[in-house]
Amino acid sequence: MSTLSIAIVIFFIIGYFFIAIESVTKINKAAIALLMFVICWTLFMIDPGQYIATAIGANIPQAVSEVIEHHLGSTSTTLFFLMGAMTIVEVVDQNGGFNFVRDTLHTKSKRALLWRIAFMTFILSAILDNLTTSIVMIMILRKLVSDKNDRLIYAALVVIAANSGGAFSPIGDVTTIMLWNKGVITAAGVITQIFIPSLVSMLIPAYILSLHLKGELAFTPTQAKSVAASELTTGQRKTVFFLGVGGLIFVPIFKSITHLPPFVGILLVLGVLWTTTEIFYSNLKEVEEKGAMQKRVTNLLARIDISTILFFLGILMAVACLETIGALTLLGESLNEAFSGNYYLINGIIGVLSSIVDNVPLVAGCMGMYPVTPDGAMAIDGIFWQLLAYCAGVGGSMLIIGSAAGVVVMGLEKITFGWYMKRITWIAFVGYLAGIFCYWLQCAIVG
């Protein structure tokens, strides 16, 4: 590697380090990611000729702009998908669409509640996303479980189940969305091949955690009144729910029919949901309309976490710079040589790393490190890419800071890093390894 390449890699690593210690520095990781993006490409411009092959007399700055715009176009498909999905979930949530979840979980038995939470979180995270599902489930748990110690166990299970559920769905986790948008996995492939390993990675920890719970809840959960806006009728709220959640399920189908990028399908669903809610609210009386204004899509757009979107923009574009200078290809070749092409071991290590550092740049790096081949482990829906989807998603459960779901639950329930590491890490690790074994067994039997 040239001196310039080494400098770019060093600045990337420094930025990555500050992202990892965000809780210590209190500097938002989006700010660091944007600086990484700009600094890496600025250094790249010192001598772009060594990375971009151009014809004699060609305009190098223009060639660089074309490269950046190419990567920006690829990155934007993920960003627009996330923005659309986040808006859809926000609309459904604000209009009381998730009330049925609370009603479904109603029970007196602690263990029965644990299993209901496990399966509900697992299913919802595959349809929505693991971050949103975790928030919804924690808010519901606060209404159902009064004992703080019991609620911590339930909360830990929410993290594990949310990450496991998100791993087998093309829209359940940011990393699977990235892989799906890149075209290295298909919706049908990841669902059919990763579902059982993901389920096992949830079931085993759920069983172990259930052993810590006995008896009944200290009080009978009451059926709280709907948190949804009273401006909409029950039928209208159900319509909003089925359009939103059903639309998210429809996105992979839309892609397979039209062959358009996934973000086009998500924008279609958002457009339909937006139009429907506008019609509902436009028919309200003037007094009701004032209260409903805050729940219209035009106002809910302001609630979207733009810092998260900017973080993905910065980190994906910084990784694109590493890909352009050939650093990721070199790293991929080194890993293959060190582990003799053992993709189970390579991805297993990546999964463990994803519990320490953010899995978004890890997966982005892997997509740049390894080229897609016509057949074999690196082919579309090959062993490597499917294992990467599983390991990067489920591996984040091993530490409370290892996933977006874990970080938000940590904040909501004030779970300490030490408590989770002492009581939950080994449980999540057992489930993680069991899932990898199931995938290996599945491949060995099915071929």
Side-chain angles (χ1 to χ4, degrees), residues 134-414:
S134 298
I135 296 173
V136 171
M137 297 305 293
I138 292 300
M139 294 306 175
I140 292 173
L141 275 175
R142 287 180 173 179
K143 295 180 176 66
L144 300 178
V145 183
S146 59
D147 186 89
K148 176 68 174 178
N149 293 327
D150 286 346
R151 200 163 68 241
L152 288 180
I153 295 176
Y154 290 123
L157 179 61
V158 165
V159 174
I160 295 172
N163 288 330
S164 294
F168 82 88
S169 167
I171 60 174
D173 187 89
V174 174
T175 53
T176 55
I177 291 173
M178 290 164 57
L179 292 168
W180 187 39
N181 272 299
K182 187 76 172 180
V184 295
I185 60 173
T186 64
V190 72
I191 291 173
T192 55
Q193 297 297 314
I194 303 300
F195 174 76
I196 293 178
S198 295
L199 182 63
V200 169
S201 71
M202 180 274 290
L203 289 176
I204 292 179
Y207 172 73
I208 297 174
L209 289 174
S210 71
L211 301 179
H212 294 79
L213 296 171
K214 295 179 181 179
E216 296 185 347
L217 295 169
F219 64 94
T220 302
T222 57
Q223 296 298 318
K225 293 182 179 180
S226 173
V227 297
S230 59
E231 293 84 1
L232 294 185
T233 65
T234 301
Q236 288 173 330
R237 289 199 296 270
K238 288 182 178 179
T239 300
V240 171
F241 173 78
F242 285 113
L243 281 178
V245 177
L248 290 172
I249 299 173
F250 174 71
V251 171
I253 300 173
F254 178 82
K255 180 182 184 298
S256 65
I257 294 174
T258 64
H259 301 291
L260 288 169
F263 83 93
V264 178
I266 211 75
L267 294 181
L268 168 65
V269 177
L270 177 59
V272 172
L273 186 61
W274 194 338
T275 302
T276 303
T277 53
E278 288 294 294
I279 293 173
F280 286 162
Y281 286 123
S282 65
N283 294 326
L284 295 175
K285 297 177 182 179
E286 184 178 348
V287 176
E288 294 175 324
E289 172 66 14
K290 292 180 180 179
M293 280 299 294
Q294 296 302 314
K295 294 179 174 61
R296 299 183 80 153
V297 176
T298 47
N299 289 294
L300 293 179
L301 285 172
R303 300 168 64 100
I304 300 303
D305 189 357
I306 298 299
S307 67
T308 298
I309 300 298
L310 291 177
F311 166 70
F312 292 135
L313 171 63
I315 200 69
L316 292 176
M317 289 302 292
V319 169
C321 184
L322 296 186
E323 180 182 349
T324 304
I325 67 175
L328 297 182
T329 301
L330 181 62
L331 178 59
E333 292 172 350
S334 300
L335 282 174
N336 274 339
E337 185 177 342
F339 298 107
S340 303
N342 188 327
Y343 300 122
Y344 286 91
L345 188 56
I346 292 173
N347 277 302
I349 292 174
I350 290 173
V352 173
L353 287 175
S354 73
S355 69
I356 303 172
V357 297
D358 199 291
N359 58 6
V360 171
L362 276 177
V363 172
C366 288
M367 289 192 297
M369 282 160 49
Y370 299 99
V372 181
T373 57
D375 50 35
M378 294 293 180
I380 296 174
D381 277 336
I383 290 176
F384 178 82
W385 301 114
Q386 290 184 348
L387 263 180
L388 179 60
Y390 170 84
C391 292
V394 178
S397 300
M398 283 183 273
L399 292 177
I400 191 68
I401 62 170
S403 65
V407 172
V408 74
V409 171
M410 181 184 188
L412 291 173
E413 285 299 315
K414 302 297 184 290

Side-chain angles (χ1 to χ4, degrees), residues 102-114:
R102 182 201 60 227
D103 298 337
T104 303
L105 294 175
H106 177 75
T107 181
K108 292 182 179 180
S109 170
K110 291 183 179 180
R111 287 185 177 177
L113 178 62
L114 179 136

Side-chain angles (χ1 to χ4, degrees), residues 22-153:
E22 178 188 16
S23 60
V24 177
T25 63
K26 306 301 180 184
I27 300 175
N28 192 291
K29 62 184 179 182
I32 302 299
L34 291 176
L35 288 175
M36 290 169 63
F37 165 26
V38 176
I39 291 174
C40 286
W41 282 103
T42 301
L43 290 173
F44 179 89
M45 286 302 294
I46 294 176
D47 185 15
Q50 64 176 290
Y51 306 115
I52 301 177
T54 58
I56 297 176
N59 189 329
I60 291 183
Q62 182 179 349
V64 173
S65 294
E66 291 175 355
V67 171
I68 293 178
E69 288 171 5
H70 167 74
H71 287 300
L72 184 59
S74 177
T75 299
S76 295
T77 61
T78 299
L79 299 185
F80 279 112
F81 186 98
L82 286 172
M83 291 175 67
M86 291 164 71
T87 306
I88 290 168
V89 170
E90 190 69 27
V91 172
V92 175
D93 184 39
Q94 288 299 310
N95 287 281
F98 295 117
N99 287 339
F100 86 97
V101 178
R102 182 201 60 227
D103 298 337
T104 303
L105 294 175
H106 177 75
T107 181
K108 292 182 179 180
S109 170
K110 291 183 179 180
R111 287 185 177 177
L113 178 62
L114 179 136
W115 285 109
R116 291 185 185 186
I117 288 172
F119 283 106
M120 185 64 75
T121 305
F122 184 80
I123 294 169
L124 282 180
S125 64
I127 300 172
L128 307 177
D129 66 77
N130 48 16
L131 176 60
T132 303
T133 301
S134 298
I135 296 173
V136 171
M137 297 305 293
I138 292 300
M139 294 306 175
I140 292 173
L141 275 175
R142 287 180 173 179
K143 295 180 176 66
L144 300 178
V145 183
S146 59
D147 186 89
K148 176 68 174 178
N149 293 327
D150 286 346
R151 200 163 68 241
L152 288 180
I153 295 176

